[in-house]
């Protein structure tokens, strides 16, 4: 922001606030009691999941960090500068693939069904790296999805406004169904993992019902 101001670019304060606030929420969600108890309690895990995949990405995508980087760096540098590298990254084939609305939508929705309704969640929760990998996945996939809908940065193939609305509306029933399934299923997700912890205060059914409610309300 300082570099942009020195070049005469007035960067909106609201975007800076959104970007900083987004990372503050990340720290609170992962490094406070929420992060500590997200391991042994499914309901609190879902609070962190919703925060990292649906709240933080909204704030970060409103920060417009890619646009700020391009405006604050020189495009006429004699050697490859930060401006050139960011421009190349946005034109990279993998970036274009991930920013495809169908790909971003599929990743966003499959993060719920593919993770919790298979044995993948039970496996990953047993390892610290697995827990952190899930957090990173929630954050990146959520950022891709919301960048297409409300992001300040211009993606490789920007959507028209009606496309953005359709992408947002399409995800709503999937979230609702996911939450309802969690609240009404008779089987406990990752039962073997939670029973392995042998916590005397654990109520697995109540924790899963809370998690389902959080997912439903969040969606």
């Amino acid at each position: 922001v300082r570099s942009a101001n020195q070049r005469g670019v007035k960067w909106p304060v609201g975007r800076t606030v959104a970007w900083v606030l987004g990372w503050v929420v990340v720290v609170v969600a992962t490094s406070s009691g929420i992060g500590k108890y997200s391991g042994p309690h499914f309901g609190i895990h879902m609070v962190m999941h919703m925060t990292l995949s649906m709240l933080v990405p909204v704030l970060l995508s409103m920060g417009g960090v890619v646009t700020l980087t391009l405006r604050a760096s020189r495009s006429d540098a004699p050697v490859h500068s930060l401006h050139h590298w960011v421009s190349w990254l946005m034109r990279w084939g993998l970036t274009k693939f991930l920013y495809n609305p169908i790909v971003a939508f599929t990743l966003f929705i499959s993060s719920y069904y593919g993770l919790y309704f298979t044995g993948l969640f039970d496996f990953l929760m047993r390892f610290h790296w697995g827990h952190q990998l899930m957090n990173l996945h929630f954050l990146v996939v959520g950022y891709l999805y919301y960048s297409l809908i409300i992001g300040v940065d211009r993606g490789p193939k920007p959507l028209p406004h009606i496309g953005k609305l359709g992408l947002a509306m399409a995800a709503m029933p999937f979230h609702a169904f996911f939450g309802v399934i969690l609240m009404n299923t008779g089987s406990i997700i990752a039962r073997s993992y939670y029973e392995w912890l042998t916590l005397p205060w654990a109520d697995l059914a109540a924790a899963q019902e809370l998690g389902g409610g959080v997912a439903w309300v969040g969606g």
Side-chain angles (χ1 to χ4, degrees):
V1 172
R2 186 185 303 111
S3 298
N5 289 335
Q6 290 174 352
R7 302 188 65 204
V9 176
K10 299 300 181 183
W11 190 250
V13 175
R15 294 181 184 178
T16 303
V17 172
W19 178 258
V20 173
L21 184 59
W23 288 111
V24 169
V25 175
V26 169
V27 172
V28 172
T30 59
S31 303
S32 67
I34 298 175
K36 180 179 284 291
Y37 280 94
S38 64
H41 195 284
F42 184 81
I44 298 178
H45 163 83
M46 194 57 64
V47 170
M48 186 169 70
H49 181 165
M50 293 292 108
T51 302
L52 294 179
S53 65
M54 301 191 69
L55 173 59
V56 172
V58 169
L59 296 169
L60 296 183
S61 62
M62 291 170 62
V65 66
V66 175
T67 302
L68 174 60
T69 303
L70 293 174
R71 293 183 182 180
S73 56
R74 292 180 56 187
S75 60
D76 57 348
V79 295
H80 284 298
S81 63
L82 182 61
H83 186 100
H84 293 100
W85 283 111
V86 173
S87 298
W88 172 83
L89 181 63
M90 296 307 294
R91 295 192 303 267
W92 189 27
L94 179 59
T95 304
K96 292 181 179 180
F97 174 76
L98 293 175
Y99 268 97
N100 183 293
I102 297 177
V103 174
F105 177 81
T106 302
L107 289 173
F108 188 67
I109 297 301
S110 63
S111 297
Y112 297 87
Y113 294 87
L115 177 63
Y116 297 104
F117 296 149
T118 66
L120 186 57
F121 178 72
D122 192 357
F123 170 75
L124 290 176
M125 287 297 289
R126 298 173 184 272
F127 306 97
H128 178 71
W129 62 264
H131 205 170
Q132 302 311 314
L133 183 62
M134 281 191 290
N135 292 341
L136 181 63
H137 174 79
F138 299 151
L139 190 61
V140 171
V141 171
Y143 181 79
L144 286 172
Y145 177 75
Y146 284 104
S147 291
L148 290 171
I149 300 174
I150 61 171
V152 172
D153 299 320
R154 181 181 177 86
K157 292 184 178 180
L159 288 174
H161 292 307
I162 189 66
K164 296 178 180 180
L165 179 62
L167 193 61
M169 297 292 289
M172 294 177 63
F174 289 97
H175 277 287
F177 293 149
F178 173 74
V180 170
I181 292 172
L182 282 183
M183 288 187 289
N184 292 281
T185 185
S187 59
I188 301 298
I189 294 176
R191 175 186 288 274
S192 60
Y193 161 72
Y194 289 113
E195 290 182 344
W196 174 70
L197 297 178
T198 61
L199 298 174
W201 48 265
D203 187 337
L204 302 185
Q208 184 163 306
E209 185 176 4
L210 173 61
V214 169
W216 181 78
V217 172

